[in-house]
Structure formats: C-alpha cells, structure tokens
C-alpha cells in the first residue's frame, strides 16, 4: 500500500505562486507515474499534469502549460506542482495520484489540497 499526503494549497492573489507537494510512503515510488488533478466546485475532476515514473515525460493541460511545471524527487519520494502566474480560474481542490503502469496493479490518491486564487 502507498500512502499519499498532498499539501501546499492556500489563498493567493492573482499572479502569485504556490508549490503543491505530494509526499508518498516511498519504497516503490519509482514504479509509479504521478498525476495532479483539479476539481473545481461543481465540476468534474480533470487532469492537470503528469510525470512518468522515470521522469522522462511530462504532459500538461493546455490551460496550465508553461505555468505549472511538474517534477519529482526520487530520493525524497515526493512530487511537486509548481503553480505560477495563478489565475482565479485555477481555484480548485488539487489531488495527487500515483499509479503503476496499470491501475489494476496500484492506484492511490491524496486527500486533496484547496487552492483559492482571489483578490
């Protein structure tokens, strides 16, 4: 079992920055792809960013590309979403997800961290 704690959300003004962290229990961290999802109030959960288990590939939603780089630290067993130039429409609960090559082999979620972008 993989335990995930996602954190780093908060209240920030438009144009500001936050860094979300995804801390895992480690052990087999390098076997897991990491994704960040967002879920705004009344909306469905949607993919924000992905980094593959070896860090070789990153993908982003069009709305955050070049603003929200995703990264991972395989020594600390952590992944990050650096959120820059935040906009009010970024307001949502953000969730970290860790999964193996197939969800049948492992699929874990953090509890979510709230991001509010408002002046």
């Amino acid at each position: 079992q993989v335990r995930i704690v996602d954190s780093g959300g908060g209240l920030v003004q438009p144009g500001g920055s936050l860094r979300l962290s995804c801390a895992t229990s480690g052990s087999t961290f390098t076997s897991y792809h990491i994704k960040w999802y967002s879920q705004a109030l009344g909306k469905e959960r949607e993919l924000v960013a992905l980094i593959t288990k070896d860090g070789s590939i990153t993908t982003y939603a069009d709305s955050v590309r070049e603003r929200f780089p995703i990264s991972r630290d395989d020594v600390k067993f952590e992944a990050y979403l650096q959120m820059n130039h935040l906009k009010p429409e970024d307001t949502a609960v953000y969730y970290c997800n860790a999964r193996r090559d197939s969800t049948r082999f492992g699929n874990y979620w953090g509890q979510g961290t709230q991001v509010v972008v408002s002046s």
Side-chain angles (χ1 to χ4, degrees):
Q1 295 290 316
V2 174
R3 298 181 299 277
I4 297 176
V5 177
D6 40 26
S7 62
L11 175 64
V12 64
Q13 293 186 343
S17 297
L18 289 170
R19 190 193 194 203
L20 305 187
S21 296
C22 178
T24 77
S25 56
S27 182
T28 56
F29 180 71
T30 57
S31 297
Y32 288 83
H33 309 280
I34 302 296
K35 298 177 181 177
W36 284 97
Y37 288 82
S38 67
Q39 187 165 23
L41 186 64
K43 305 281 188 178
E44 294 186 357
R45 193 171 300 183
E46 61 183 26
L47 180 65
V48 175
L50 174 151
I51 185 166
T52 53
K53 59 186 179 181
D54 63 358
S56 63
I57 300 172
T58 57
T59 62
Y60 300 93
D62 288 342
S63 61
V64 307
R65 187 171 292 110
E66 300 186 49
R67 290 196 299 132
F68 291 3
I70 188 172
S71 61
R72 65 189 296 153
D73 187 330
D74 292 343
V75 175
K76 296 181 178 179
F77 310 133
E78 295 181 348
Y80 310 97
L81 186 70
Q82 178 64 50
M83 308 172 74
N84 301 309
H85 307 290
L86 282 160
K87 304 174 182 179
E89 52 263 43
D90 297 322
T91 296
V93 177
Y94 286 77
Y95 298 88
C96 181
N97 167 259
R99 70 163 180 87
R100 288 182 175 266
D101 291 343
S102 173
T103 57
R104 76 186 72 178
F105 302 132
N107 188 42
Y108 302 95
W109 292 87
Q111 78 285 356
T113 184
Q114 176 74 59
V115 172
V116 177
V117 184
S118 177
S119 59

